[in-house]
Amino acid sequence: MAVRLATKRAAFGPEGVMDRRGFEDRALPHLRALYGLALRLTGDASAAEDLVQETYLKGLQAFVTLRDPDRVRPWLFQILSRLVIDRRRASGREVPLEPPGDVDRFSLYDRIADEDPLPYSDKLHEDFLARFRDEDVRRALVRIPEAYRVPLVLVYVEGLSYRELADLLGCPIGTVMSRLHRGRKALERELWDCALLRGFIKGEKS
Amino acid sequence: MSATNCEDAQRRFFAYLDRALADEDVEALEAHLEACLECCDRLEFSRRLDSFVRSRLGEASLPPGLEERVHRALAVVAPPSEEP
């Protein structure tokens, strides 16, 4: 009870009423991390800025409900991720997912071995990956369907556990597992397509 | 997971790398890896790819003016009041 009172008090300002200053002191140090997540999720700087602003506005309104102010960072990440998911659902622009088999069958490991784009390399797979620019990887990630991208980015950028992802996305852990598997497979295929476009290899776009 | 074959093993690679497999599945997968060099190579590639993607995502630099913009937006919204 004492802990609860202490944490609750922390959310309130000098007049005993939750104030903006208390929220800003705790939430604004995470601005850069939130922007980084928003950028990886949307792939667009302007959309990411709007998303971050909306996250803070929602956060201010809901701050009194946060029981443990030390958990403000994951809580803000959760608000931001939910905004992305809800917006896309509301817009009806959610990209239909491919039948799982088509995604699951793709193997970047096999494609690299079959095409052998660097015949003189004794560490073919490693050298192949080294040819991508940072921008290629970010673009590839933005192109994969959002249902796969959101959990994947949260694992890569924030290291969320499957349990945390299941709570955030409102789905069973098994669904998280299959989305992360397919997300990585979709990313492998996007990287392969990027390699074709950039001329690392010659062949048909998959 | 019993009598793991290559397909079963490879389907569990990502959950294994994310440390999200149950103990019994980890044991079965590692037993398979001890006997299958091909799967070891594939797992190593998956591990390398994960680490490669993480390293390429990097940290985004904060756009100039964003902090000020957020401050301004927060300033015009009244937070909900609640007695402690």
Side-chain angles (χ1 to χ4, degrees), chain B residues 19-72:
Chain B
R19 300 177 190 280
L21 277 187
D23 290 348
E24 66 201 57
D25 289 341
V26 170
E27 277 175 30
L29 177 58
E30 289 181 347
H32 176 81
L33 290 169
E34 278 181 28
C36 181
L37 276 179
E38 170 76 14
C39 279
C40 284
D41 284 349
R42 287 174 180 274
L43 176 64
E44 184 51 33
F45 176 69
S46 294
R47 193 194 308 275
R48 195 179 291 281
L49 184 59
D50 250 18
S51 140
F52 159 79
V53 173
R54 275 198 179 92
S55 70
R56 296 303 176 101
L57 290 182
E59 289 226 340
S61 53
L62 203 56
L66 179 58
E67 187 165 0
E68 179 55 34
R69 177 183 162 179
V70 171
H71 264 300
R72 277 203 311 272

Side-chain angles (χ1 to χ4, degrees), chain A residues 80-98:
Chain A
L80 190 146
S81 308
R82 284 213 172 117
L83 278 172
V84 172
I85 295 162
D86 292 346
R87 262 187 197 174
R88 193 55 62 106
R89 278 181 189 151
S91 74
R93 284 186 292 119
E94 209 160 9
V95 179
L97 302 181
E98 290 181 57

